[in-house]
Amino acid sequence: NVLRFNPSFPDELRRVKFHLRYRGHWLDLDLHADRLKIEALKSGAHPVQVQVRDKLYDLDQGTTIECAL
């Protein structure tokens, strides 16, 4: 079970920011055409795996992933 992201932006869209609930985690996502930031808020949930393009990350509560797209 992996939460996967492989974003592709239209030229008119510069940024998308939203909250997502996934397997007990509240995630804050800040997505730009060239980078993605995912913050897992403190929740008491077990770590989850997140895949951004071809790279796999372990995401635990209270941690942040930032990666170039």
Side-chain angles (χ1 to χ4, degrees):
N1 295 318
V2 177
L3 179 60
R4 292 180 170 86
F5 293 94
N6 190 16
S8 178
F9 270 71
D11 293 335
E12 300 81 15
L13 188 60
R14 297 194 183 273
R15 182 180 188 187
V16 176
K17 191 172 183 177
F18 59 97
H19 302 287
L20 176 69
R21 181 97 169 148
Y22 179 72
R23 299 195 172 271
H25 287 275
W26 275 111
L27 306 176
D28 283 339
L29 286 95
D30 192 1
L31 180 59
H32 296 254
D34 63 344
R35 63 186 167 88
L36 172 62
K37 178 180 174 183
I38 305 171
E39 180 181 359
L41 305 178
K42 295 202 183 247
S43 64
H46 295 287
V48 294
Q49 289 191 315
V50 176
Q51 183 177 346
V52 180
R53 301 250 161 103
D54 293 331
K55 185 153 172 117
L56 193 62
Y57 300 90
D58 290 317
L59 184 63
D60 200 0
Q61 62 174 332
T63 62
T64 300
I65 295 169
E66 292 189 63
C67 54
L69 299 174

